[in-house]
Amino acid sequence: EIPVPVTRGGMSNLTDALIRSAKPRDRYYDLNDRGTPLMLRVKQNGEKVWLWRGRVEGKQTTRIIGSYPEMKLSEAKLEALRLKSAAKS
């Protein structure tokens, strides 16, 4: 199991080191980035995908926005914030 730094609300600040150290488990799991609508899903096969979670037309939705390491953490955060802003308009 990977040590996940837990903060208020059970969410962590995603860092490159935390992402690199995230190992597959018998079931997928998500690492949330505190303060942003960004999540990293670690699949059973070791694949890591970026997810955006937000509301679109009043409905909770989750969208895949990229794969790690092809999309860096900084790029994923910017895309998640862009989607959040677009969903509000």
Side-chain angles (χ1 to χ4, degrees):
E1 296 235 354
I2 105 173
V4 176
V6 175
T7 58
R8 191 173 35 154
M11 295 184 185
S12 64
N13 286 321
L14 286 177
T15 64
D16 286 320
L18 178 63
I19 294 164
R20 283 192 309 273
S21 69
K23 303 295 182 217
R25 298 180 184 168
D26 59 346
R27 181 173 144 70
Y28 76 83
Y29 63 98
D30 297 330
L31 298 174
N32 299 291
D33 190 43
R34 186 177 55 159
T36 71
L38 180 66
M39 298 186 309
L40 181 74
R41 176 159 291 168
V42 182
K43 297 182 177 184
Q44 296 95 318
N45 65 3
E47 182 184 5
K48 298 172 184 177
V49 293
W50 296 111
L51 303 174
W52 171 81
R53 179 182 281 171
R55 292 199 169 276
V56 175
E57 297 178 1
K59 294 184 180 179
Q60 183 72 35
T61 187
T62 302
R63 294 187 180 161
I64 296 172
I65 59 174
S67 295
Y68 178 86
E70 293 79 13
M71 178 182 268
K72 296 177 185 176
L73 173 59
S74 59
E75 297 167 332
K77 282 187 179 191
L78 287 174
E79 181 63 11
L81 293 173
R82 186 192 68 75
L83 287 169
K84 180 181 178 180
S85 177
K88 286 184 177 180
S89 352

